[in-house]
Protein backbone atom coordinates (compact mmCIF):
# COMPACT_ATOMS: atom_id res chain seq x y z
CA UNK A 1 0.00 0.00 0.00
CA UNK A 2 2.87 2.37 0.74
CA UNK A 3 1.10 4.17 3.59
CA UNK A 4 0.10 3.23 7.13
CA UNK A 5 -3.60 2.35 6.83
CA UNK A 6 -4.27 3.52 10.39
CA UNK A 7 -3.49 7.12 9.46
CA UNK A 8 -5.38 7.29 6.18
CA UNK A 9 -8.27 9.77 6.16
CA UNK A 10 -11.69 8.64 4.94
CA UNK A 11 -14.02 10.43 7.36
CA UNK A 12 -12.27 13.74 8.10
CA UNK A 13 -9.84 12.16 10.58
CA UNK A 14 -7.34 9.29 10.63
CA UNK A 15 -9.02 5.91 10.26
CA UNK A 16 -7.68 4.63 13.59
CA UNK A 17 -9.26 7.59 15.43
CA UNK A 18 -12.57 7.29 13.53
CA UNK A 19 -12.76 3.57 14.28
CA UNK A 20 -11.84 4.10 17.95
CA UNK A 21 -14.67 6.64 18.24
CA UNK A 22 -17.16 4.31 16.50
CA UNK A 23 -16.41 1.54 18.98
CA UNK A 24 -16.33 3.86 21.98
CA UNK A 25 -19.72 5.36 21.05
CA UNK A 26 -21.20 1.87 21.50
CA UNK A 27 -19.87 1.68 25.04
CA UNK A 28 -17.17 -0.83 24.18
CA UNK A 29 -13.78 -0.84 25.89
CA UNK A 30 -11.39 -0.05 23.05
CA UNK A 31 -7.73 -0.99 22.67
CA UNK A 32 -5.55 -0.20 19.68
CA UNK A 33 -2.96 -2.79 18.74
CA UNK A 34 0.32 -1.30 17.51
CA UNK A 35 3.56 -2.67 16.17
CA UNK A 36 5.33 0.09 18.10
CA UNK A 37 4.40 3.05 20.26
CA UNK A 38 2.52 5.91 18.58
CA UNK A 39 2.64 9.29 20.31
CA UNK A 40 -0.36 10.44 18.26
CA UNK A 41 -2.54 8.03 20.25
CA UNK A 42 -1.71 9.47 23.68
CA UNK A 43 -4.68 9.17 26.02
CA UNK A 44 -6.11 6.12 24.25
CA UNK A 45 -5.75 2.49 25.31
CA UNK A 46 -3.01 0.81 23.30
CA UNK A 47 -1.20 -2.52 23.29
CA UNK A 48 2.07 -3.14 21.53
CA UNK A 49 3.19 -6.29 19.77
CA UNK A 50 5.04 -8.50 22.23
CA UNK A 51 8.54 -9.63 21.22
CA UNK A 52 7.47 -13.30 21.20
CA UNK A 53 4.91 -12.61 18.45
CA UNK A 54 6.54 -9.84 16.36
CA UNK A 55 6.95 -10.16 12.63
CA UNK A 56 3.71 -11.94 11.78
CA UNK A 57 1.50 -9.03 10.71
CA UNK A 58 -2.04 -8.97 12.11
CA UNK A 59 -1.42 -12.28 13.89
CA UNK A 60 1.16 -10.51 16.07
CA UNK A 61 -1.42 -7.91 17.07
CA UNK A 62 -4.14 -10.44 17.88
CA UNK A 63 -1.90 -12.61 20.05
CA UNK A 64 -0.30 -9.62 21.78
CA UNK A 65 -3.67 -8.00 22.47
CA UNK A 66 -5.10 -11.24 23.85
CA UNK A 67 -2.24 -11.55 26.33
CA UNK A 68 -2.23 -7.91 27.37
CA UNK A 69 -5.98 -7.27 27.58
CA UNK A 70 -6.76 -10.56 29.28
CA UNK A 71 -6.86 -14.20 28.29
CA UNK A 72 -10.40 -14.56 29.65
CA UNK A 73 -11.82 -11.73 27.53
CA UNK A 74 -13.59 -12.02 24.19
CA UNK A 75 -12.03 -9.57 21.73
CA UNK A 76 -13.61 -7.80 18.78
CA UNK A 77 -10.92 -7.24 16.17
CA UNK A 78 -11.29 -4.82 13.25
CA UNK A 79 -8.49 -3.85 10.91
CA UNK A 80 -7.97 -0.20 9.98
CA UNK A 81 -8.41 -1.18 6.34
CA UNK A 82 -12.23 -1.40 6.64
CA UNK A 83 -13.35 2.24 6.37
CA UNK A 84 -16.96 1.29 5.50
CA UNK A 85 -17.36 -0.86 8.63
CA UNK A 86 -18.94 1.61 11.03
CA UNK A 87 -21.28 1.83 13.99
CA UNK A 88 -24.23 -0.06 12.42
CA UNK A 89 -22.01 -2.91 11.27
CA UNK A 90 -20.22 -3.10 14.62
CA UNK A 91 -23.60 -3.24 16.42
CA UNK A 92 -24.69 -6.03 14.05
CA UNK A 93 -21.57 -8.07 14.82
CA UNK A 94 -21.90 -7.54 18.58
CA UNK A 95 -25.60 -8.47 18.61
CA UNK A 96 -24.92 -11.63 16.56
CA UNK A 97 -22.14 -12.78 18.90
CA UNK A 98 -22.44 -16.34 20.11
CA UNK A 99 -20.24 -16.71 23.21
CA UNK A 100 -20.59 -20.51 22.91
CA UNK A 101 -18.90 -20.47 19.51
CA UNK A 102 -15.13 -20.08 19.19
CA UNK A 103 -15.61 -16.90 17.16
CA UNK A 104 -18.30 -14.86 15.46
CA UNK A 105 -17.10 -14.17 11.93
CA UNK A 106 -18.25 -13.00 8.53
CA UNK A 107 -17.89 -15.09 5.41
CA UNK A 108 -17.11 -13.83 1.92
CA UNK A 109 -16.99 -16.02 -1.17
CA UNK A 110 -17.20 -19.11 1.02
CA UNK A 111 -14.21 -18.20 3.21
CA UNK A 112 -14.29 -16.98 6.79
CA UNK A 113 -12.80 -13.56 7.49
CA UNK A 114 -10.52 -13.15 10.50
CA UNK A 115 -11.51 -9.44 10.64
CA UNK A 116 -13.88 -7.91 11.56
CA UNK A 117 -14.73 -10.64 14.05
CA UNK A 118 -15.22 -11.46 17.70
CA UNK A 119 -12.72 -14.01 18.97
CA UNK A 120 -13.71 -15.84 22.16
CA UNK A 121 -11.07 -16.71 24.79
CA UNK A 122 -10.99 -20.41 23.79
CA UNK A 123 -10.28 -19.47 20.15
CA UNK A 124 -7.52 -17.10 21.20
CA UNK A 125 -5.93 -19.98 23.16
CA UNK A 126 -6.22 -22.21 20.07
CA UNK A 127 -4.59 -19.50 17.98
CA UNK A 128 -1.67 -19.25 20.37
CA UNK A 129 -1.24 -23.05 20.30
CA UNK A 130 -1.30 -22.96 16.50
CA UNK A 131 1.32 -20.19 16.53
CA UNK A 132 3.68 -22.18 18.76
CA UNK A 133 3.17 -25.21 16.48
CA UNK A 134 4.41 -23.12 13.54
CA UNK A 135 1.03 -22.25 12.01
CA UNK A 136 0.83 -18.51 11.43
CA UNK A 137 -2.47 -17.99 9.63
CA UNK A 138 -5.48 -16.40 11.33
CA UNK A 139 -7.80 -17.70 8.63
CA UNK A 140 -6.45 -21.24 8.77
CA UNK A 141 -6.87 -21.34 12.55
CA UNK A 142 -10.51 -20.39 12.08
CA UNK A 143 -11.11 -22.71 9.13
CA UNK A 144 -9.62 -25.66 11.04
CA UNK A 145 -12.44 -25.14 13.55
CA UNK A 146 -15.19 -24.15 11.12
CA UNK A 147 -17.79 -26.35 12.81
CA UNK A 148 -17.46 -24.28 16.01
CA UNK A 149 -17.80 -20.81 14.44
CA UNK A 150 -20.80 -18.51 14.36
CA UNK A 151 -20.78 -17.37 10.72
CA UNK A 152 -22.92 -14.35 9.94
CA UNK A 153 -23.77 -12.24 6.92
CA UNK A 154 -22.82 -8.56 6.75
CA UNK A 155 -25.48 -5.86 6.57
CA UNK A 156 -23.98 -5.02 3.18
CA UNK A 157 -21.18 -6.57 1.17
CA UNK A 158 -19.57 -3.15 0.73
CA UNK A 159 -18.97 -2.83 4.49
CA UNK A 160 -16.34 -5.57 4.16
CA UNK A 161 -14.44 -3.86 1.36
CA UNK A 162 -10.81 -3.61 2.34
CA UNK A 163 -8.61 -0.68 1.38
CA UNK A 164 -5.53 -2.75 0.58
CA UNK A 165 -4.34 -0.80 -2.45
CA UNK A 166 -4.25 2.89 -3.36
CA UNK A 167 -6.92 2.18 -6.00
CA UNK A 168 -9.22 0.49 -3.48
CA UNK A 169 -8.71 3.36 -1.02
CA UNK A 170 -9.61 5.90 -3.72
CA UNK A 171 -12.75 3.96 -4.69
CA UNK A 172 -13.85 3.78 -1.04
CA UNK A 173 -13.33 7.53 -0.63
CA UNK A 174 -15.64 8.05 -3.62
CA UNK A 175 -18.29 5.77 -2.04
CA UNK A 176 -18.08 7.66 1.25
CA UNK A 177 -18.37 10.97 -0.60
CA UNK A 178 -21.50 9.79 -2.46
CA UNK A 179 -23.13 8.67 0.81
CA UNK A 180 -22.47 12.08 2.37
CA UNK A 181 -24.22 13.94 -0.46
Amino acid sequence: MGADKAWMDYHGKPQVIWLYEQLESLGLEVWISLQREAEKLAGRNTVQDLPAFRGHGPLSGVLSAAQQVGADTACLFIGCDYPLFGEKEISHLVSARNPNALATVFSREGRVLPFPAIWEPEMLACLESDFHAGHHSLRRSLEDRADRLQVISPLSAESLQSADTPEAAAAIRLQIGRKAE
Side-chain angles (χ1 to χ4, degrees), residues 10 162-173:
Y10 298 95
S162 181
D164 286 332
T165 65
E167 297 78 18
I172 288 171
R173 281 192 186 91

Side-chain angles (χ1 to χ4, degrees), residues 29 65-66 69-77 97 119-122 124:
E29 184 178 2
V69 172
D72 60 344
T73 304
C75 295
L76 189 160
F77 292 105
R97 175 186 174 216
W119 292 60
E120 300 297 333
E122 186 180 351
L124 292 166

Side-chain angles (χ1 to χ4, degrees), residues 23 28 62 73-78 85 89-106 113-124 142 148-152:
L23 292 159
L28 300 173
V62 169
T73 304
C75 295
L76 189 160
F77 292 105
I78 304 174
F85 199 85
E89 291 81 7
I90 295 165
S91 292
H92 171 60
L93 176 58
V94 169
S95 67
R97 175 186 174 216
N98 178 354
N100 296 314
L102 290 176
T104 302
V105 300
F106 292 103
L113 301 176
F115 303 123
I118 298 173
W119 292 60
E120 300 297 333
E122 186 180 351
M123 185 64 218
L124 292 166
L142 290 167
R148 297 196 52 211
L149 302 177
Q150 172 78 15
V151 181
I152 63 172

